[in-house]
Amino acid sequence: MHDLMPFQVTLVCSVVIPVYNGSTVITRCLDALANQTVTPDRYELLVVDDGSTDATAAVVEEWRLAHPHICLALLHQANAGPAAARNLGAKHANAPLLFFTDADCAPTPTWLEALAAPFTDPDVAGAKGAYVTEQRAAIPRFVQAEYEDRYDRMRGQLQIDFIDTYSAAYRRSIFLENKGFDPIFTTASVEDQEFSFRLAQKGYRLVFAPDARVSHLHDGDLGDYFRRKYYIGFWKALMIRWHPERMVQDSHTPQVLKVQIVLLAAIFGLATLALLGALWAPLTWSWVGVAVAILIFLATTLPFTLKLARRSPALAIVGPGMVMVRALALGSGYLNGTIHFAGTLPGAHQPVITGWQRLVKRSMDILGALVGLAISIPLVAVAALAIKLDSPGPVFFWQVRVGENGRSFRIIKLRTMSADAEEKLGNLVDITHLEEPVFKLKQDPRVTRVGRLLRRTSLDEAPQFYNVLRGDMSLVGPRPEEERIVQLYQDYHRRRLAVKPGMTGPMQVSGRGDLGFAERLQLELDYIEHYSLRRDLEILLRTFPAIFHGDGAH
């Protein structure tokens, strides 16, 4: 490694480039990085040789000597995969922002500038750029069209949860505090997705920067395309075991892709049954099911095929076939990965709530919310009348709270304070000088007479059954936090954002408002780390005595 100290005074970003046997492509990448609109004293390059057996190291060293005005360090490691290589680069980086790209990418001249732009917002923890390609063959153009389809999903989203490392950026402090990419992913697969899911689970804001473009050499033939998709499916089987909630949805993957994988599996299954019709004639009717499944599959490809047609009629013709190849590769890889990773979960990560627990918990939430609304609506109607008679202002109080994975939602409660309570807060509490990022006033002068009774009985929170029914909240979980409080969180505080907030939870049955933030956090983190459905039921049963006694209800 070469000394970087002379360049450290004005560094803004460190660009990490993992490379394995990339002697034929790395020069293209480095040339592009040397031709940025940002001046060379603002960034450094860290090339991490992942145990190459070709002339990669020599090519990089020759380039460095030919470009003395560019700050470049060449790091070496035994072959361990791109995840470990990127982590090594991050460890030796000197700038506050970490940028990542791949050796087969050539960033456009404005790449550094465009990728750094989102970080002028201090709330942004990570950013994702985009691919472009100059290749004109059918397969690379189809690959580019796939990516453009995903970019269309991300445009306009204020927050994403999916960042690919071909064009990625993170705040170095947050990256290191969260231990970077998991080196268990030894090939280029889903290690970048997994890390961004981890950050999104803590509520960190990740954004899409479409102008941060890199020119990529996409798959050149059908075999390369199939292999890449297969290994993505294979490693995704492990990642989904860590993050089962991503099986349902993420900001990048089209939902129709999952439908297509299931349909293709149905086609193969029904075709197998139909072939067995030679042994038992009634099974030949399975061919009807095969035909129907094929027609439905083709129908699911229609929107994407129309997009392809706007690019090229030739692409539209091969589109449905390529989509079938994609579904086959991803599906077979995922099946093999599911079998391979069955049993003990490798690595340090464990799902907060497993897939089947999520299904049962959500079913309980829906049933409980419907019952709760049916019982509470008459009580809420009486309380609404009392609120209107007691003080001027609306019956309901709406406020933005932070939920699972940092997603904001509007919580609804019966109003228990004066209508101008938010404006009076600054005269009662200095949020910026709190010892802990939370507060509770035991004798809050903003609380109305009716409000005190509603708080004492917790009836003010009955409208939150609506939030539970919508899926913003759960019956049991950590309390939903205000946005301004979350902004003061340290990294370990953010672990409580890994699950949906609850109407009740460990805090409500263990002292409520009498607890300090550290005590509350310990209870909620223990609930998350040792989650079980049985514990949810126990908390629900303990909630009623807690309400009756009224301890901590301020």
Side-chain angles (χ1 to χ4, degrees), residues 46 103 178 199 225 250-251 259 294 314 374 391 415 468 476 510 533:
L46 297 103
N178 286 274
L199 292 190
Y225 179 79
D250 63 63
S251 60
V259 175
I294 290 174
S391 63
R415 182 174 61 83
V468 174
V476 183
S510 303
L533 293 169

Side-chain angles (χ1 to χ4, degrees), residues 49-185:
D49 182 7
D50 184 29
S52 297
T53 58
D54 64 358
T56 294
V59 170
V60 173
E61 181 63 20
E62 181 181 355
W63 190 94
R64 186 189 70 83
L65 294 173
H67 298 79
H69 63 293
I70 300 294
C71 176
L72 184 147
L74 176 60
L75 308 174
H76 301 272
Q77 69 172 26
N79 181 243
R86 294 188 189 101
N87 291 345
L88 180 62
K91 179 181 177 181
H92 287 86
N94 296 285
L97 297 179
L98 289 174
F99 286 13
F100 296 98
T101 190
D102 295 326
D104 59 354
C105 294
T108 57
T110 59
W111 180 68
L112 290 177
E113 186 177 349
L115 200 52
F119 292 93
T120 57
D121 182 346
D123 291 335
V124 171
K128 165 190 168 62
Y131 268 147
V132 293
T133 189
E134 299 172 2
Q135 297 164 285
R136 306 310 304 162
I139 300 296
R141 291 180 67 194
F142 176 83
V143 173
Q144 182 62 33
E146 276 189 306
Y147 281 108
E148 293 292 347
D149 186 46
R150 286 156 171 75
Y151 300 154
D152 288 343
R153 286 173 52 82
M154 290 184 162
R155 285 187 176 89
Q157 295 186 34
L158 296 177
Q159 188 166 331
I160 62 174
D161 55 28
F162 191 112
I163 293 182
D164 307 274
T165 44
Y166 56 77
S167 178
Y170 293 103
R171 294 193 187 275
R172 182 171 178 265
S173 59
I174 293 174
F175 182 90
L176 294 178
E177 193 164 12
N178 286 274
K179 304 184 187 309
F181 304 106
D182 196 310
I184 194 172
F185 299 101

Side-chain angles (χ1 to χ4, degrees), residues 486-498:
V486 172
Q487 290 174 357
L488 301 176
Y489 273 5
Q490 298 179 31
D491 183 82
Y492 72 93
H493 295 151
R494 290 178 170 272
R495 179 65 171 163
R496 67 185 302 278
L497 301 177

Side-chain angles (χ1 to χ4, degrees), residues 27 68 160 299 324 326 349 377 424 531:
T27 298
I160 62 174
M324 186 167 287
R326 178 179 71 185
H349 305 300
I377 283 176
K424 292 179 178 178
Y531 177 79

